[in-house]
Amino acid sequence: MPASTDQLKATLSQASARTCKLVIFGAGGDLTRRLLLPSLYDLAASDALPSAFGIVAIDRAERTGEDWAAHLFSLAEQDAKDPSAEFSCPQLDRALWDKVTRNVQYIAGDFTQPALFTTLRDVLGESDAIFYCAVAARFFAPIATALGEAGLLEEEGRFRRIVIEKPFGHDLASARVLDDVLRHQAKESQIYRIDHFMGKEANQGILVARFSNVLFEPIWRREYIDHVQITAAETIGVESRGAFYEQTGALRDMVPNHLFVLLSLIAMEPPASLEAEAIRQEKTRLLQAIRPIRPQDYVRGQYVAGDIEGIASVDYRDEPGVAADSCTETYAAMRLDIDNWRWGGVPFYLRTGKRMKARRTEINIVFKKPPYALFDQDMNDPRTGNVIRFLLDPVRGVSICFDAKQPGLGEVIAPVNTRFLYDDFFRKAPNVGYEALLHDCMAGNQMLFQSAGTIEAAWAAIDPVVNIGSTPSFYPAGSQGPAEADALLARDGRQWIAVT
């Protein structure tokens, strides 16, 4: 059983999740296995699933609902034994798993064919339903169109919602096309654009830290902050996803969704309330204020052979499914400028990369130095000064770095830090990042979901560089990234905080 079901209950929306059926397109896929079913299991463990909840699983393979549920249980047992996996559980409760899947209805078929949607309409009847597109992005628009044409998105005495995973398009133009299709078939209130970064506890905690502590908010502005660094570094490569990654790259895969989610949380204005639309509007306004990125403020990188913790790594171009002359970036870094009253003149530096020195997702708020050196200290020493670090993954918490007097006769200044870690204060609860998102979708709360305006603003910010296909800068696996990324900050007299 999970460690703390009471804690998970406390994180869920106060609105009750309504009884419904979750229709999963791509029920045999990796997303369903790793994230959707484990999240439903966690919700069941917390008694947070609505009564008579049911699953309609749709996939090509011919099998029964019982076979599907049993197969995923065996896979979940394997995943749960890995302490580094997103779903880690000391012992999987089969009775609880059966509680989640007891009402499963399985439909074998091709969701590119109208006949499947006729069958689905008969299965659902007048039930409330959520349609989850756990499929490749190219199927989002066809599925939405087929649902609309079959009358499955009509809401008369019931709710019907559609969940779209990232990527929401592959550039500004395609994002607009996808949005046009979605909004032709459904109202905005029915569309749930999901990004699992918003479901992670530490990420949700950013708004609480900012807006419930007078300690932080008064200094959260250009008068006090020198710059902001947002980092999402991974030690893994593309694994078995080479063919997918060749069409995507680090920029599309991470920046307009994950990193901009963090950017909006750390930089948005205080919302008027915790109503979904109030928060979504502030996020959109923040992203709309980003000055479109100039090519000279953007660095593309690609990993080559190297060593990570004693394990040799091959070139990206030698990975399965990757072209021998590939110019796809596995690393992206950039400088952003936000043209508004709070942040004018404060640069934001974003970076994400695979096969880096360490796995680390964090936000560093770097404050300005004192106007002059009253004490005997080197004001150019990057170790000195104040930094607030939001630690998001794998360590979760907040660290504050400041200067202190080193004990002794002289006035020697030394950098020190204090930190709060979630695991030191709260019992660790099961959370793969989808529990609150699924629950809120059932409750009709869109606060944690992206709006159409947010998606468009994100793509508009990176549109000038999204299709750059020049040869990337190379960096060895296990490093901090390409030298050109260091030069990007050095140009402004700054440097990256090392990934360790």
Side-chain angles (χ1 to χ4, degrees):
M1 290 286 290
S4 174
T5 57
D6 289 339
Q7 182 180 335
L8 182 57
K9 287 179 184 178
T11 68
L12 299 175
S13 167
Q14 293 182 353
S16 297
R18 287 175 54 180
T19 295
C20 63
K21 292 187 177 182
L22 179 65
V23 180
I24 305 176
F25 292 96
D30 190 56
L31 175 62
T32 302
R33 165 194 172 172
R34 292 187 304 105
L35 299 172
L36 293 188
L37 264 294
S39 295
L40 293 172
Y41 174 89
D42 289 342
L43 288 174
S46 303
D47 196 26
L49 275 183
S51 60
F53 170 80
I55 296 173
V56 179
I58 298 176
D59 204 55
R60 287 177 176 271
E62 292 284 350
R63 58 177 19 145
T64 65
E66 292 78 8
D67 289 341
W68 174 81
H71 174 65
L72 285 184
F73 179 80
S74 65
L75 296 177
E77 278 190 311
Q78 299 173 25
D79 296 339
K81 294 174 183 177
D82 180 0
S84 65
E86 289 171 291
F87 178 60
S88 180
C89 182
Q91 184 174 1
L92 207 58
D93 187 330
R94 181 59 187 263
L96 197 59
W97 186 272
D98 290 343
K99 179 181 178 181
V100 175
T101 59
R102 65 188 173 191
N103 294 322
V104 64
Q105 295 169 279
Y106 187 90
I107 302 176
D110 184 348
F111 51 72
T112 65
Q113 299 300 316
L116 183 140
F117 294 87
T118 301
T119 301
L120 179 58
R121 185 174 57 207
D122 294 338
V123 168
L124 290 178
E126 296 302 313
S127 299
D128 291 334
I130 296 170
F131 303 101
Y132 202 112
C133 297
V135 295
R138 66 182 183 276
F139 295 117
F140 294 166
I143 287 175
T145 299
L147 288 170
E149 290 177 348
L152 287 164
L153 292 174
E154 294 175 2
E155 292 187 306
E156 292 184 8
R158 66 191 183 193
F159 74 73
R160 293 290 169 89
R161 297 165 187 154
I162 181 168
V163 180
I164 302 294
E165 279 275 351
K166 71 138 183 119
F168 312 104
H170 59 270
D171 56 17
L172 179 59
S174 61
R176 285 172 170 165
V177 169
L178 174 60
D179 190 57
D180 286 344
V181 171
L182 293 175
R183 295 211 275 185
H184 182 71
Q185 302 298 339
K187 300 186 293 289
E188 177 66 18
S189 61
Q190 295 177 268
I191 304 168
Y192 287 68
R193 302 170 187 84
I194 195 168
D195 187 327
H196 74 272
F197 256 45
M198 272 305 301
K200 292 182 177 293
E201 284 293 340
N203 298 354
Q204 293 182 50
I206 294 172
L207 293 186
V208 176
R210 284 189 58 195
F211 300 136
S212 69
N213 294 288
V214 178
L215 175 68
F216 294 137
E217 186 57 22
I219 58 173
W220 222 254
R221 58 190 63 254
R222 58 188 174 86
E223 289 86 353
Y224 303 100
I225 293 175
D226 179 78
H227 71 279
V228 177
Q229 298 183 22
I230 301 178
T231 297
E234 300 176 283
T235 54
I236 62 171
V238 294
E239 308 301 311
S240 60
R241 300 169 68 231
F244 161 79
Y245 209 79
E246 278 288 85
Q247 305 301 316
T248 308
L251 181 67
R252 287 185 171 93
D253 190 41
M254 291 292 290
V255 175
N257 36 70
H258 294 343
L259 292 193
F260 277 11
V261 162
L262 301 182
L263 174 66
S264 61
L265 293 173
I266 211 71
M268 64 183 274
E269 292 297 317
S273 71
L274 291 182
E275 293 295 323
E277 198 52 36
I279 292 177
R280 280 152 55 109
Q281 284 177 358
E282 292 302 340
K283 290 179 181 178
T284 300
R285 289 191 185 104
L286 185 281
L287 296 182
Q288 288 173 337
I290 298 174
R291 191 183 307 163
I293 302 170
R294 303 179 304 172
Q296 60 265 39
D297 291 334
Y298 172 53
V299 173
R300 305 171 71 246
Q302 186 185 98
Y303 66 78
V304 295
D307 184 280
I308 302 177
E309 298 179 349
I311 300 176
S313 171
V314 301
D315 287 7
Y316 170 74
R317 292 177 176 181
D318 291 331
E319 299 277 17
V322 174
D325 58 351
S326 173
C327 286
T328 299
E329 80 281 353
T330 61
Y331 176 101
M334 65 200 65
R335 170 184 167 142
L336 297 180
D337 291 279
I338 298 175
D339 292 330
N340 66 15
W341 197 263
R342 181 186 292 263
W343 297 113
V346 178
F348 285 71
Y349 300 103
L350 280 60
R351 61 176 167 171
T352 181
K354 292 187 175 296
R355 292 288 190 214
M356 293 185 67
K357 175 70 173 179
R359 172 187 163 196
R360 182 75 63 187
T361 300
E362 65 183 32
I363 303 171
N364 291 286
I365 314 297
V366 182
F367 288 83
K368 293 180 177 180
K369 301 289 181 68
Y372 74 100
L374 178 62
F375 301 98
D376 184 17
Q377 60 187 130
D378 180 2
M379 299 298 287
N380 294 318
D381 186 342
R383 297 175 301 165
T384 64
N386 304 144
V387 180
I388 297 178
R389 307 180 72 174
F390 286 86
L391 311 173
L392 305 174
D393 184 65
V395 179
R396 301 178 304 146
V398 180
S399 172
I400 301 177
C401 305
F402 57 98
D403 297 335
K405 179 185 178 297
Q406 184 171 305
L409 298 178
E411 296 292 336
V412 179
I413 307 300
V416 298
N417 72 81
T418 182
R419 67 178 184 173
F420 142 73
L421 297 181
Y422 276 84
D423 291 348
D424 291 343
F425 283 80
F426 308 108
R427 293 184 63 192
K428 188 173 182 180
N431 192 301
V432 301
Y434 275 70
E435 291 85 354
L437 294 166
L438 288 172
H439 183 272
D440 280 2
C441 187
M442 295 175 198
N445 182 1
Q446 291 184 303
M447 184 179 76
L448 297 179
F449 297 83
Q450 304 275 49
S451 70
T454 301
I455 297 299
E456 182 165 329
W459 280 116
I462 68 168
D463 202 53
V465 299
V466 75
N467 289 313
I468 289 178
S470 59
T471 301
S473 304
F474 298 107
Y475 64 98
S479 70
Q480 296 288 330
E484 288 79 358
D486 295 332
L488 179 66
L489 270 68
R491 184 184 71 189
D492 297 336
R494 301 181 176 97
Q495 64 183 54
W496 291 108
I497 293 174
V499 176
T500 58

